Amino acid sequence: MIYYKTDEEIELLRQANLVVSKTLALVGSMLRPGMTGKEIDDAAEAFIRDHGGVPGFKGYNNFPASLCVSPNEQVVHGIPNKELVFKDGDIVSVDCGVVLNGFNGDAAYTFPIGNVSEEVMKLLRVTYESLYKGIKAARVGNRIGDIGFAIQDYTERKHNYGVVRELVGHGVGRELHEAPEVPNYGKRGRGLRIKPGLTIAIEPMINMGKKYVETSKDGWTYVTKDRLPSAHFEHSVAIRRTGVDILSDHSFIEAALDKNEYIVKRLHPATAGVV
Ligand code: MG
Ligand code: MG
């Protein structure tokens, strides 16, 4: 069952996503070599609660934390901990969910810490650009398959990266994960027709090597089978008659990264912001 949202409901989703965006910006201002996932998770939870929200992931299917923190070869769903210390050259995917006024915000960003190799920066850039290619394809009259096709065509066919198959984007609203599924691969003109009021999270998970992933012993963390790095960027969006309305706002993150001296290299994706 797909829940199409009213304009009022879309505004509530925007408010929840605004807290998500600001939480990710806080994370972006803190990240540096020597830090742990536990530190950013504690700060994020306090920030979310200070802003009247509830961490959307904490307790979801018994997930134990507010953020998913997934460095390097971890794809998504990494559990923040005190043991794994971030080091110069790492990339860290941070996924954040917030429930505010009964609606879920959901967005993610992969942060480059310190001096990340050009090869890995390219993975981040292409993944981020693919998110916007997916968003552009999410317009009225297209189908869900057009979104996945746009992402897969750019990342897999053009850049020879691996698109994760086991994990997909999703509808988002009163529930964190609603119908429909929004795969990052697909065929043009297939799947559900996209209509105004549809609200979805688009979240390419792109591996530098092969597409294959496995779960680790904790039962949550997805890692690449070949242990090469993986990148992940996510926006929650609402489909409007006039275009795609991006509800999460990564400009807060970009502004925070500008001020963080430990973020040496910056993403300057060619397509970001243009929808
Ligand atoms: Mg997410
Ligand atoms: Mg999501």
Side-chain angles (χ1 to χ4, degrees), residues 106 170 201 203 234:
D106 184 14
H170 50 92
E203 49 179 318
E234 178 179 25

Side-chain angles (χ1 to χ4, degrees), residues 57 95 106-107 168-170 176-177 201 203 232 234:
F57 298 167
D95 197 342
D106 184 14
V168 296
H170 50 92
L176 175 60
H177 296 126
E203 49 179 318
H232 176 216
E234 178 179 25

Side-chain angles (χ1 to χ4, degrees), residues 232-252:
H232 176 216
F233 291 89
E234 178 179 25
H235 269 309
S236 289
V237 306
I239 311 308
R240 306 279 198 174
R241 224 165 273 288
T242 49
V244 187
D245 187 355
I246 303 179
L247 303 174
S248 36
D249 187 349
H250 285 358
S251 70
F252 288 97

Side-chain angles (χ1 to χ4, degrees), residues 169-236:
H170 50 92
V172 63
R174 288 192 183 276
E175 300 294 332
L176 175 60
H177 296 126
E178 298 185 351
E181 290 193 343
V182 184
N184 298 303
Y185 53 91
K187 292 196 165 70
R188 275 176 170 156
R190 298 280 179 87
L192 178 82
R193 195 176 284 283
I194 296 169
K195 292 198 293 189
L198 183 69
T199 54
I200 50 176
I202 302 176
E203 49 179 318
M205 289 155 258
I206 308 299
N207 300 344
M208 180 177 267
K210 301 261 185 267
K211 65 188 174 191
Y212 306 107
V213 298
E214 56 194 21
T215 44
S216 37
K217 282 189 233 63
D218 64 25
W220 277 104
T221 315
Y222 281 83
V223 297
T224 57
K225 248 188 178 146
D226 56 18
R227 301 298 187 265
L228 290 173
S230 184
H232 176 216
F233 291 89
E234 178 179 25
H235 269 309
S236 289

Side-chain angles (χ1 to χ4, degrees), residues 82-197:
K82 287 183 201 162
E83 286 72 41
L84 205 161
V85 178
F86 305 144
K87 56 186 190 307
D88 186 71
D90 280 351
I91 57 168
V92 183
S93 156
V94 180
D95 197 342
C96 179
V98 168
V99 185
L100 186 72
N101 297 320
F103 282 86
N104 282 271
D106 184 14
Y109 196 93
T110 301
F111 296 93
I113 302 178
N115 200 13
V116 173
S117 74
E118 281 308 320
E119 197 188 13
V120 176
M121 285 307 296
K122 187 184 163 202
L123 171 70
L124 296 189
R125 203 168 291 121
V126 168
T127 304
Y128 200 9
E129 287 169 357
S130 80
L131 167 60
Y132 282 83
K133 288 184 185 296
I135 290 171
K136 277 186 195 173
R139 61 176 190 271
V140 173
N142 271 4
R143 291 176 181 270
I144 291 293
D146 291 300
I147 300 172
F149 176 83
I151 293 168
Q152 184 181 18
D153 188 56
Y154 188 61
T155 56
E156 215 167 72
R157 281 182 277 273
K158 182 152 185 226
H159 288 285
N160 208 24
Y161 293 142
V163 175
V164 174
R165 303 297 202 274
E166 289 82 350
L167 298 141
V168 296
H170 50 92
V172 63
R174 288 192 183 276
E175 300 294 332
L176 175 60
H177 296 126
E178 298 185 351
E181 290 193 343
V182 184
N184 298 303
Y185 53 91
K187 292 196 165 70
R188 275 176 170 156
R190 298 280 179 87
L192 178 82
R193 195 176 284 283
I194 296 169
K195 292 198 293 189

